[in-house]
């Protein structure tokens, strides 16, 4: 097990100023197989020369949420949200990640973020509507992350928190594919039907969302090889004790780069 945390391990949508952070972190490290050093839970774990797993901690140092209230319970991007000095990881952790990615000699670099990195925003009525708790709410920080990923030999981004399965790609400013990004469904938590519908409709607005399975339960299974990695979104009925898991969709990621081949 390689354990990280969700926001609900403290309180929904928490940031650096949460009063519950200290007792929640104490409980987390006392009851999970993890070591903590410093002011966050970042870690680097290597599997020989095959893969380096880099876990970042997206809540302890992030800038406050920004944007203005908009329709459909979303937030609209504005100048404050797009400011260049906004950070998701904080300067020290951001530097740490860049150095680790640039120095990795493994075949693959797996970067794990608790919230989705890819673009899930939609354009509606002249506004860019988004969830400002994800990397969508920190576009300048995401651009810096993509630049760091570009320096790595073969990065794959893993994320969570969406209660939906997603396969998408991250591109640099020139439109070149930098990394495949994967989001697993939740194992057992339910999701609001309105959110599931909105997430499932997002590919109509974002062509880089290659596959979206909104509101399902399951996980993502990776089979990592020297030249190719297969990612499978596995779904299961979390209520029926006799349910069997099935592979809903799979993606073959080539170490040479480019978008993955998606089937299913």
């Amino acid at each position: 097990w390689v354990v990280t945390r969700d926001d609900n391990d403290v309180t929904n949508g928490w940031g650096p100023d949460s009063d519950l952070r200290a007792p929640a972190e104490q409980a987390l490290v006392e009851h999970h197989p993890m070591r903590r050093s410093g002011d966050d839970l970042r870690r680097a774990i290597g599997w020989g020369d095959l893969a380096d797993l880099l876990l970042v901690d997206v809540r302890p140092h992030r800038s406050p949420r920004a944007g203005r209230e908009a329709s459909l319970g979303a937030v609209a991007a504005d100048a404050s949200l797009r400011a260049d000095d906004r950070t998701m990881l904080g300067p020290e952790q951001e530097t740490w990640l860049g150095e680790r990615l640039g120095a990795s000699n493994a075949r693959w670099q797996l970067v794990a973020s608790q919230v989705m990195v890819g673009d899930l925003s939609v354009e509606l009525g002249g506004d860019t509507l988004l969830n400002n708790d994800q990397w969508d709410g920190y576009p300048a920080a995401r651009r810096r992350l993509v630049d760091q990923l570009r320096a790595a030999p073969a990065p794959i981004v893993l994320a969570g928190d969406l209660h939906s399965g997603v396969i998408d790609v991250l591109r640099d400013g020139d439109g070149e594919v930098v990394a495949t990004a994967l989001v697993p469904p939740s194992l057992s938590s339910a999701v609001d039907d309105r959110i599931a519908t909105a997430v499932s409709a997002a590919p109509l607005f974002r062509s880089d969302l290659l596959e979206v399975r909104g509101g399902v339960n399951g996980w993502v299974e990776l089979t990592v090889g020297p030249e190719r990695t297969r990612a499978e979104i596995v779904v299961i009925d979390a209520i029926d004790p006799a349910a069997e898991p099935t592979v809903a969709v799979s993606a073959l990621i080539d170490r040479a780069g480019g978008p993955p081949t998606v089937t299913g």
Side-chain angles (χ1 to χ4, degrees), residues 37-106:
S37 61
D39 209 21
D40 48 57
L41 298 177
R42 79 185 92 159
R43 276 118 71 218
I45 299 166
W47 278 273
D49 63 358
L50 181 64
D52 284 337
L53 174 62
L54 306 172
L55 294 97
V56 296
D57 203 358
V58 301
R59 296 196 177 273
H61 313 295
R62 59 164 56 187
S63 301
R65 293 198 209 183
R68 59 178 176 80
E69 293 298 320
S71 59
L72 304 178
V75 169
D78 59 10
S80 67
L81 184 142
R82 297 187 177 100
D84 288 339
D85 62 349
R86 284 174 51 72
T87 180
M88 177 66 100
L89 304 178
E92 181 184 345
Q93 186 177 196
E94 193 173 300
T95 299
W96 171 86
L97 178 60
E99 290 175 347
R100 290 281 186 165
L101 285 170
S104 175
N105 293 316

Side-chain angles (χ1 to χ4, degrees), residues 117-168:
V117 176
D119 193 343
L120 202 61
S121 64
V122 299
E123 307 297 328
L124 186 65
D127 285 330
T128 301
L129 303 183
L130 49 84
N131 177 356
N132 64 354
D133 192 49
Q134 299 175 175
W135 285 79
D136 277 347
Y138 300 79
R142 180 166 56 194
R143 288 193 298 271
R144 296 193 296 271
L145 172 62
V146 170
D147 286 342
Q148 291 175 330
L149 292 170
R150 188 168 48 187
I156 298 174
V157 173
L158 313 172
D161 195 56
L162 196 63
H163 298 229
S164 302
V166 177
I167 301 170
D168 75 335

Side-chain angles (χ1 to χ4, degrees), residues 5-258:
R5 60 178 161 194
D6 181 39
D7 59 335
N8 292 304
D9 289 309
V10 179
T11 187
N12 188 44
W14 72 277
D17 58 351
S18 172
D19 294 336
L20 296 176
R21 177 184 171 188
E25 288 180 342
Q26 179 179 343
L28 188 72
V29 299
E30 287 177 353
H31 291 84
H32 287 79
M34 64 171 60
R35 295 179 178 87
R36 177 186 176 192
S37 61
D39 209 21
D40 48 57
L41 298 177
R42 79 185 92 159
R43 276 118 71 218
I45 299 166
W47 278 273
D49 63 358
L50 181 64
D52 284 337
L53 174 62
L54 306 172
L55 294 97
V56 296
D57 203 358
V58 301
R59 296 196 177 273
H61 313 295
R62 59 164 56 187
S63 301
R65 293 198 209 183
R68 59 178 176 80
E69 293 298 320
S71 59
L72 304 178
V75 169
D78 59 10
S80 67
L81 184 142
R82 297 187 177 100
D84 288 339
D85 62 349
R86 284 174 51 72
T87 180
M88 177 66 100
L89 304 178
E92 181 184 345
Q93 186 177 196
E94 193 173 300
T95 299
W96 171 86
L97 178 60
E99 290 175 347
R100 290 281 186 165
L101 285 170
S104 175
N105 293 316
R107 306 291 290 175
W108 301 89
Q109 295 72 42
L110 311 179
V111 177
S113 162
Q114 292 98 327
V115 294
M116 183 173 174
V117 176
D119 193 343
L120 202 61
S121 64
V122 299
E123 307 297 328
L124 186 65
D127 285 330
T128 301
L129 303 183
L130 49 84
N131 177 356
N132 64 354
D133 192 49
Q134 299 175 175
W135 285 79
D136 277 347
Y138 300 79
R142 180 166 56 194
R143 288 193 298 271
R144 296 193 296 271
L145 172 62
V146 170
D147 286 342
Q148 291 175 330
L149 292 170
R150 188 168 48 187
I156 298 174
V157 173
L158 313 172
D161 195 56
L162 196 63
H163 298 229
S164 302
V166 177
I167 301 170
D168 75 335
V169 296
L170 304 177
R171 298 181 186 270
D172 62 18
D174 297 324
E176 296 296 321
V177 174
V178 171
T180 296
L182 307 167
V183 181
S186 60
L187 276 172
S188 59
S189 297
V191 63
D192 188 290
D193 288 340
R194 294 170 300 173
I195 297 175
T197 300
V199 170
S200 297
L204 298 174
F205 302 88
R206 298 293 172 191
S207 60
D208 284 337
L209 292 167
L210 306 181
E211 187 70 37
V212 175
R213 299 296 172 104
V216 297
N217 291 116
W219 59 88
V220 165
E221 192 165 310
L222 291 183
T223 305
V224 182
E227 299 300 330
R228 295 173 188 84
T229 289
R230 179 175 297 278
E232 296 176 330
I233 296 179
V234 182
V235 300
I236 192 168
D237 185 330
I239 303 300
D240 181 1
E244 295 289 337
T246 60
V247 176
V249 62
S250 65
L252 189 63
I253 305 166
D254 199 306
R255 189 174 178 276

